[in-house]
Amino acid sequence: MTALDVSVEQVWDWLGEVADPEIPVISVVDLGIVRAVRLEGEACVVTITPTYSGCPAMRVISESVSDALRAHGIEDVRIESRLSPAWTTDWMSAAGKAALKGYGIAPPVQQAIDISGLHAGIRRRAAPAVACPHCGSSHTQLTSEFGSTPCKALYKCLDCREPFDYFKCH
């Protein structure tokens, strides 16, 4: 099969089944890593953006995307990596954020890009109130700026006493 035999929408559906290697409950589409899909003749070109530059999972993600499309019969797959614009948690889907919470990772609670203060100069945001994904309490405390991966921070719930990762806004 070639890219001539499928639609862009079908490719997006297939990619929605490709799990992130570090957080297997969220797809690379729901995480916002897949930026574009285009069909060029017999080739399917998928553009991906890492969650941060130097992300060690990008090689595995590229291979997983290629493998998934080849499993559906697309033989000519090209992966393009794009660093600009930089990935942001704003690109995560609502379903992806819900999957994170169900997995025990607090999803980002703010928009990463806030343009409301551009005319008034740069302003700092207050630290977000992060709800515990286990009990729902907002009585939580930052333990470390870095959690199990660099894109997460480590928090603890002061009510249920459970530690948890918080997916930082970027």
Side-chain angles (χ1 to χ4, degrees), residues 45 47-48 66 71 86 101 103 107 111 115 117-118 126 130-131 135 140-141 154 158 163-164:
V45 182
T47 303
I48 58 176
S66 295
K101 184 177 179 183
Y103 192 60
Q111 243 187 312
I115 61 170
L118 283 181
V130 177
C135 72
T140 61
Q141 181 178 44
L154 184 61
L158 300 175
F164 63 92

Side-chain angles (χ1 to χ4, degrees), residues 69-129:
L69 295 180
R70 288 190 180 102
H72 285 287
I74 306 282
E75 294 176 25
D76 190 356
V77 178
R78 288 196 322 258
I79 307 296
E80 294 179 349
S81 190
R82 182 178 300 152
L83 298 177
S84 179
W87 178 86
T88 169
T89 50
D90 294 346
W91 294 349
M92 293 173 79
S93 70
K97 290 177 183 179
L100 287 175
K101 184 177 179 183
Y103 192 60
I105 299 172
V109 296
Q110 313 177 279
Q111 243 187 312
I113 300 171
D114 179 8
I115 61 170
S116 63
L118 283 181
H119 299 295
I122 298 173
R123 53 181 200 197
R124 280 198 159 309
R125 277 193 240 190

